[in-house]
Amino acid sequence: MLVVRTRAALRAALAAAPRPVGLVPTMGWLHAGHVSLVAQARAENATVVMSIFVNPKQFGESTDFEKYPRSEERDFARAEAAGVDVMFAPTVDEVYPPGFDTVVSVGAIAHPLEGRARPGHFDGVATVVALLFSLVSAERAYFGLKDYQQVQVIRRMTLDLALPTTVVPCPTVREPDGLALSSRNARLTPAGRMVAPVIHRALVAGAEHVRRGVREAASVRGAVLAVLATEPSAVVDYVSVADPDTLKELVEVEGRALLSLAVRVDDVRLIDNELVS
Ligand code: AMP
């Protein structure tokens, strides 16, 4: 695995790389979710590029950015074992050199849910992903559906800006008890780790309500909240029942629905979702 740290070195590494190229953008602290994205990229491309960059522009609270787990040595070993060919691990100044002053801001799809809870978050995501797409010019880029809204925001941006990279959504990888893998799980206490699976249990209960024919979105939300309430240390940020395409809140569930939520456990903010179709 070739490790490159500058924009120039990345471009040079890719000039001679066999095509097609698959890109897997991450913030590091790699887990089996990231590895599944690499596996799919590996299967579909001749060259696999991973980026590891904890992007300050997508963090609202600087403490959350500072507390984000980091370990290059561990990540590089995992990435190489998973089949990454080129690792782009730049510094903040390399990504945002002095004078950097552009923001990529996606519209309506970026406003509800995570966009409302974390002002500026998706501007940060879209800006860095646009830059990565420009630097790598990959045929495909792989993103996890655990971050469902992020996939939608990046798809919108790619379409609107006619970027030549195809966005490939990948399924959520979970622990055996249902907890979605996340780098943030590393910050849970042992007690918090025991509580956190309530998130997936709650979403599954909500999805079952829909499948049994419950149509009022408020009832579905109520079913999710009732399960969450069984663990009082899980602090609910939001629970949403939305149209999976527009992410607008539903009143009646008629066809497909996206059940999504953000919950704090041990003051660690965790998100997850379940698509009902
Ligand atoms: P992150 O390092 O958290 O920014 O995630 C990098 C990429 O991995 C994003 O596209 C995430 O959606 C994806 N990802 C994170 N967790 C999971 C998971 N449990 N299953 C599948 N993909 C994931």
Side-chain angles (χ1 to χ4, degrees):
M1 184 176 81
L2 178 67
V3 177
V4 293
R5 300 208 176 260
T6 65
R7 295 174 174 215
L10 178 60
R11 284 206 195 274
L14 288 168
R19 320 280 323 175
V21 171
L23 169 66
V24 181
T26 82
M27 297 201 299
W29 200 264
L30 301 182
H31 52 64
H34 301 113
V35 170
S36 76
L37 305 189
V38 173
Q40 195 167 334
R42 185 74 278 167
E44 297 174 356
N45 301 278
T47 300
V48 176
V49 180
M50 175 182 275
S51 59
I52 294 185
F53 179 60
V54 184
N55 176 24
K57 288 193 194 289
Q58 70 189 71
F59 287 84
E61 308 157 33
S62 61
T63 49
D64 195 25
F65 171 69
E66 282 148 21
K67 281 191 204 155
Y68 203 84
R70 294 165 169 91
S71 169
E72 269 202 346
E73 208 181 317
R74 171 183 178 283
D75 283 346
F76 287 1
R78 286 189 182 198
E80 182 154 34
V84 172
D85 300 303
V86 179
M87 169 65 73
F88 181 46
T91 61
V92 172
D93 278 350
E94 183 63 28
V95 174
Y96 304 121
F100 188 103
D101 198 17
T102 293
V103 177
V104 178
S105 192
V106 177
I109 197 85
H111 294 158
L113 306 175
E114 289 300 286
R116 179 168 304 139
R118 304 178 69 189
H121 171 68
F122 285 122
D123 284 359
V125 170
T127 302
V128 81
V129 172
L131 175 57
L132 288 170
F133 279 17
S134 162
L135 285 170
V136 178
S137 290
E139 274 76 6
R140 302 184 188 87
Y142 296 79
F143 293 90
L145 285 167
K146 188 189 81 94
D147 301 285
Y148 184 97
Q149 189 176 15
Q150 173 170 277
V151 172
Q152 298 289 63
V153 167
I154 292 167
R155 275 186 155 162
R156 182 78 258 162
M157 173 189 80
T158 307
L159 200 67
D160 290 352
L161 301 182
L163 304 179
T165 302
T166 300
V167 174
V168 183
C170 302
T172 302
V173 177
R174 300 180 180 282
E175 300 280 7
D177 61 14
L179 177 64
L181 296 188
S182 165
S183 308
R184 287 196 163 85
N185 295 351
R187 284 172 45 208
L188 294 170
T189 62
R193 176 64 189 80
M194 302 271 283
V195 165
V198 75
I199 293 171
H200 186 240
R201 284 204 303 278
L203 287 168
V204 168
E208 270 165 15
H209 257 61
V210 177
R211 289 189 189 110
R212 281 206 306 269
V214 175
R215 288 290 165 258
E216 304 78 31
S219 307
V220 178
R221 281 184 74 242
V224 175
L225 286 164
V227 176
L228 291 172
T230 63
E231 294 285 5
S233 61
V235 180
V236 178
D237 186 347
Y238 65 81
V239 171
S240 158
V241 180
D243 179 306
D245 300 322
T246 63
L247 301 185
K248 290 194 175 132
E249 287 301 306
L250 294 171
V251 178
E252 294 280 311
V253 182
E254 273 147 20
R256 299 154 67 238
L258 179 77
L259 277 50
S260 67
L261 54 68
V263 166
R264 279 181 194 269
V265 177
D266 286 339
D267 215 27
V268 179
R269 193 167 178 283
L270 301 173
I271 61 169
D272 200 353
N273 65 79
E274 193 74 18
L275 189 62
V276 192
S277 49

